[in-house]
Amino acid sequence: MGKHATHIVWDWNGTLFHDVDAVIGATNSAFAEIGLEPITLEMYRELYCVPVPRFYERLMGRLPTDAEWLVMDEAFHRHYTEHRVGCGLAEGVDLLLEGWQAAGHSQSILSMFGHDELIPLVRGFGIESRFVLVEGRTGPSGGTKSAQMLRHLAALERVDPGRTVVIGDAVDDAVAARDAGAHAVLYTGGSHSRGSLEAAGVPVVDSLAEAVELAGALAS
């Protein structure tokens, strides 16, 4: 890989890992524990945002207290661990990752999913060797990705942020890319509606194949 080769930073949840059904199931199971009504996938995609407490504010009409947030966060992750078992990679991911690597480009994963849980998941799908770096969240959950993106790209010595494209399913991915001086392509298969994603002002696609094609053009 050359100094100025195009690099992709992949998001994990809702992007490479097709877990939207698990997210909705875990969200509604957690809601039941705290007395909130269940929501549909469409409602989730319209309302979801980060920091995640703001998402709950949209549902509750107020920000949760610190104590309430800890209960909500623990309940979600407990249920998500159960629901995610039936989830797999998004359609065509194996071939896309292989093709990008074979073309001489590099790629990495940066996720807000816990690092210690992310690594064995990626390894279990047999795709770890496709990435020069795989990083998950190491601090508290529920925050934004910008600071972590800056650290991630700084750790990749042969990667130029200006030749980097972040592919994710959330507006926060586009914000993190902007803050790091990188490009972004947003994918509609995850946590946000198309309308929400288009508000970020970056290209929005309905397939990861389109995202990879755009990544090559944006950073060329």
Side-chain angles (χ1 to χ4, degrees), residues 5-217:
T6 302
H7 181 82
I8 290 176
V9 178
W10 291 97
D11 175 54
W12 179 250
N13 301 93
T15 305
L16 291 178
F17 188 50
H18 184 65
D19 65 346
V20 66
D21 291 335
V23 168
I24 295 300
T27 297
N28 284 331
S29 294
F31 281 4
E33 291 191 17
I34 58 178
L36 291 178
E37 292 296 316
I39 62 172
T40 63
L41 173 59
E42 290 72 25
M43 290 174 61
Y44 182 92
R45 284 176 163 164
E46 285 298 327
L47 296 174
Y48 181 75
C49 62
V50 294
V52 180
R54 294 288 182 184
F55 170 54
Y56 286 100
E57 180 182 27
R58 293 179 175 185
L59 294 165
M60 300 168 63
R62 63 174 178 82
L63 273 173
T65 66
D66 290 345
E68 287 173 329
W69 162 243
L70 290 175
V71 171
M72 294 169 173
D73 190 48
E74 186 280 329
F76 171 81
H77 284 95
R78 173 163 37 84
H79 288 291
Y80 176 79
T81 298
E82 299 172 1
H83 285 278
R84 79 173 190 216
V85 173
C87 299
L89 297 176
E91 183 179 357
V93 160
D94 290 303
L95 290 177
L96 287 173
L97 297 178
E98 179 183 6
W100 187 258
Q101 185 182 43
H105 304 301
S106 63
Q107 53 200 332
S108 58
I109 293 175
L110 180 63
S111 174
M112 298 305 284
F113 190 49
H115 183 78
D116 291 341
E117 294 177 276
L118 175 66
I119 296 300
L121 262 181
V122 173
R123 192 168 292 154
F125 284 114
I127 58 174
E128 186 180 19
S129 64
R130 301 296 181 196
F131 307 102
V132 294
L133 183 61
V134 177
E135 286 190 318
R137 172 185 48 78
T138 55
S141 65
T144 60
K145 191 180 271 187
S146 287
Q148 193 171 342
M149 183 67 72
L150 287 166
R151 293 193 297 269
H152 184 79
L153 292 181
L156 298 171
E157 296 181 357
R158 299 175 65 81
V159 168
D160 177 2
R163 297 292 307 278
T164 296
V165 180
V166 176
I167 299 177
D169 70 314
V171 172
D172 188 49
D173 292 302
V175 173
R178 180 201 65 200
D179 291 347
H183 304 275
V185 177
L186 298 181
Y187 165 59
T188 60
S191 61
H192 282 41
S193 67
R194 172 174 275 277
S196 297
L197 296 177
E198 287 175 342
V202 302
V204 177
V205 298
D206 296 318
S207 75
L208 294 181
E210 293 176 82
V212 169
E213 184 178 355
L214 264 178

